[in-house]
Amino acid sequence: MSNSFDEKVTPIYQEIIKRNPGETEFHQAVREVLESLGPVLVKYPEFAHHKIIQRICEPERQIIFRVPWTDDKNNVHINRGFRVEFNSALGPYKGGLRFHPSVYLGIIKFLGFEQIFKNALTGLPIGGGKGGSDFDPKGKSDSEIMRFCQSFMTELYRHIGEHTDVPAGDIGVGGREIGYMFGQYKRITNRYEAGVITGKGLDWGGSLVRKEATGYGNVFFVKEMLKTINESIEGKTCIVSGSGNVSIYTIEKIHELGGKVVACSDSNGYIYDKAGIDLQVVKQLKEVERRRIKDYLEYRGDARYIEKGNIWEVPCQLAFPSATQNELNGKDATLLVKNGCIAIGEGANMPTTPDGVKVFQEAGILYAPGKAANAGGVATSTLEMMQNASRDSWSFEFTENKLSEIMTNIHNLCYEKAEEFGSPGNYVLGANVAGFIRVANAMLAMGVI
Ligand code: NDP
């Protein structure tokens, strides 16, 4: 298993740390990819010669801007907006926008960097980018959200376009925010350019299955992994962290395939429902009323709520971390393995810390890294762009079949690359190597740019 640095890669990583001080999440994401690349440089010396790694780690463009807005009491607030256009070798920059108080350049760069390889794995013509703001949507009124989104887009619009850079949602950015941002883009540019942003509503250029895609896609990936050990989702006890977009549709697909999700969470704590989570209640609380997960107890008296609890202590066979980065550490991983967990599918980006990943790999359980397992979201965003370009809209069944096919292909690609590079079953290596080679070949063909 290749999870240490090759000697050729060490100085490259050291230089990246020096050039990007204080951006710890970005360092972590880069390190994780670079740890897989030693054998690639041996097989493809031209990548080293043309400094592909050094170029891939330097964003093509980084935009930071002021986002002023007024609240309902007329107080002025100033947030910071970001868009990191990381790599466009395969197509226009593509990646979501995150609104969360923890956002700073290092978070956006880690997400944008991961996005390059994730997008490459889908086989679709999209480059990698990411953006967002340190704005906290929690507790804001609808009109405050609207004014913020309009102000954000008033600067962002000049940098994006259907052939340039195509944002979407992420933490804190769902259908409502996409609507306000698309509306402002349309107003400023006087263009109905539907393909400029994805995650749109179904009546105005959105795609069926986009909302469900990240969660469904993750479950499809785990289903494929389980097949390799003659197992299935049916009858398995599962836990899914978070209770946002990705979590909700992960739970939905697990239940459809006969698994049982017994716990989910938000940033205040987790709920445990032995009989299986009632998804209609979670949807009502989170998608409609925007309330906290502890209010689940109002509807399901037999469930338990553990304030500030650690969801990974709940015994399960399958775990789906779907909230945020570094939410699952080495201790949690050890606990999961001890309690009989056989597979992990990461819905979130980089939810497992490096020592957690090591625990899973050493225990030999199936572990799907986010950049492969959660690629269904961006893949279906690209299907949305295709429908926009052809002024068409596809049925749910047709689109879901395409998503399922894409996830199976990503699974097989990662599986085969891991074998080819001497580390069977190592999906981390498989995903990194397969994604990197596709981008690197395109960069090589386009010369030193
Ligand atoms: P949402 O905003 O819809 O939901 C996020 C969920 O995670 C909420 O339940 C939230 O709880 C919880 N959460 C967020 N931050 C933290 C934190 N710091 N600590 C604990 N819990 C937290 O976001 P998404 O579901 O869209 O995104 C979840 C993850 O999936 C992210 O890592 C994102 O990058 C990744 N992802 C999303 C895709 C998509 O299509 N949406 C595509 C690919 C990856 P609370 O409400 O209390 O904050």
Side-chain angles (χ1 to χ4, degrees):
M1 198 162 294
S2 163
N3 54 10
S4 60
F5 273 151
D6 181 272
E7 58 182 27
K8 284 194 211 65
V9 176
T10 307
I12 302 178
Y13 181 65
Q14 284 164 349
E15 182 63 21
I16 288 163
I17 301 268
K18 215 167 92 193
R19 281 170 67 81
N20 302 277
E23 297 173 356
T24 50
E25 295 83 0
F26 178 54
H27 301 164
Q28 185 183 333
V30 168
R31 185 181 179 105
E32 194 254 0
V33 171
L34 265 50
E35 279 176 353
S36 302
L37 296 185
V40 177
L41 294 186
V42 175
K43 189 160 179 188
Y44 301 92
E46 63 273 29
F47 292 164
H49 181 68
H50 291 269
K51 298 212 166 141
I52 298 287
I53 298 184
Q54 292 92 325
R55 280 197 273 150
I56 246 177
C57 291
E58 182 72 18
E60 289 175 14
R61 191 173 299 109
Q62 308 181 53
I63 302 146
I64 303 182
F65 52 97
R66 181 173 68 200
V67 190
W69 57 282
T70 44
D71 65 23
D72 292 342
K73 296 189 177 118
N74 256 332
N75 297 311
V76 174
H77 298 264
I78 294 120
N79 282 99
R80 190 169 284 179
F82 301 90
R83 187 73 185 165
V84 173
E85 299 181 333
F86 226 117
N87 192 293
S88 61
L90 297 178
Y93 311 104
K94 181 91 196 82
L97 298 169
R98 175 176 292 190
F99 292 169
H100 193 272
S102 63
V103 164
Y104 76 107
L105 188 60
I107 294 264
I108 301 299
K109 278 168 73 176
F110 119 63
L111 290 164
F113 184 73
E114 290 271 294
Q115 198 82 44
I116 304 171
F117 306 101
K118 177 190 313 197
N119 294 4
L121 286 172
T122 66
L124 298 165
I126 39 175
K130 198 85 188 188
S133 173
D134 57 1
F135 173 71
D136 186 358
K138 264 196 213 107
K140 302 290 187 297
S141 72
D142 197 60
S143 33
E144 287 171 336
I145 297 282
M146 182 182 75
R147 286 194 296 275
F148 177 80
C149 289
Q150 290 175 339
S151 180
F152 186 83
M153 187 51 85
T154 301
E155 172 59 32
L156 188 68
Y157 90 94
R158 67 187 85 246
H159 307 290
I160 61 176
E162 66 174 313
H163 301 294
T164 316
D165 184 354
V166 184
D170 190 78
I171 291 178
V173 178
R176 173 180 62 166
E177 292 75 17
I178 296 291
Y180 291 144
M181 287 191 273
F182 180 61
Q184 185 73 349
Y185 182 86
K186 185 173 76 63
R187 183 186 191 194
I188 297 174
T189 59
N190 193 30
R191 284 160 65 90
Y192 204 105
E193 187 187 340
V196 72
I197 197 163
T198 58
K200 298 181 294 295
L202 296 176
D203 293 329
W204 39 279
S207 170
L208 285 164
V209 194
R210 174 59 191 92
K211 185 174 68 174
E212 294 84 356
T214 309
Y216 279 21
N218 188 13
V219 180
F220 292 149
F221 194 98
V222 170
K223 187 175 133 199
E224 292 303 312
M225 284 204 304
L226 288 170
K227 260 196 215 162
T228 68
I229 57 163
N230 292 320
E231 277 285 1
S232 73
I233 295 200
E234 196 175 351
K236 299 282 184 305
T237 300
C238 309
I239 55 180
V240 180
S241 63
S243 49
N245 172 267
V246 177
S247 319
I248 286 174
Y249 294 96
T250 302
I251 298 172
E252 186 162 282
K253 188 48 81 179
I254 292 172
H255 284 174
E256 234 178 88
L257 296 181
K260 182 164 84 169
V261 179
V262 294
C264 69
S265 61
D266 63 20
S267 56
N268 295 107
Y270 76 85
I271 49 163
Y272 174 70
D273 191 337
K274 205 168 136 198
I277 297 287
D278 184 335
L279 191 59
Q280 279 322 107
V281 172
V282 178
K283 281 187 179 178
Q284 178 66 24
L285 287 173
K286 290 294 178 179
E287 292 187 328
V288 183
E289 298 172 19
R290 300 178 192 276
R291 289 166 69 190
R292 308 308 300 160
I293 201 68
K294 73 164 186 283
D295 300 333
Y296 183 87
L297 299 192
E298 287 175 22
Y299 298 84
R300 300 271 288 189
D302 288 345
R304 283 194 298 134
Y305 172 67
I306 294 88
E307 176 90 21
K308 291 286 158 225
N310 179 4
I311 193 170
W312 311 119
E313 69 197 12
V314 177
C316 67
Q317 291 151 298
L318 309 176
F320 297 83
S322 305
T324 194
Q325 65 278 351
N326 293 329
E327 56 166 312
L328 195 167
N329 63 27
K331 267 195 198 152
D332 303 326
T334 307
L335 199 57
L336 280 166
V337 171
K338 189 176 129 242
N339 286 337
C341 183
I342 59 165
I344 310 288
E346 292 186 339
N349 286 307
M350 210 168 73
T352 310
T353 60
D355 55 333
V357 176
K358 203 160 159 238
V359 170
F360 293 142
Q361 290 185 325
E362 284 176 1
I365 71 168
L366 298 168
Y367 168 67
K371 71 167 74 68
N374 71 33
V378 73
T380 310
S381 274
T382 313
L383 302 182
E384 181 175 331
M385 290 161 73
M386 290 179 192
Q387 292 168 76
N388 295 151
S390 58
R391 311 224 185 282
D392 197 0
S393 55
W394 305 342
S395 72
F396 194 95
E397 197 190 0
F398 179 82
T399 316
E400 190 184 6
N401 282 339
K402 280 213 169 277
L403 167 65
S404 164
E405 216 174 274
I406 291 168
M407 295 315 295
T408 303
N409 289 342
I410 297 175
H411 170 271
N412 295 346
L413 182 63
C414 296
Y415 188 86
E416 285 157 18
K417 278 288 172 233
E419 286 214 319
E420 182 188 333
F421 281 82
S423 205
N426 185 345
Y427 288 91
V428 174
L429 183 101
N432 287 337
V433 168
F436 178 81
I437 291 176
R438 185 161 180 241
V439 181
N441 277 329
M443 289 175 72
L444 210 56
M446 291 178 201
V448 180
I449 55 168

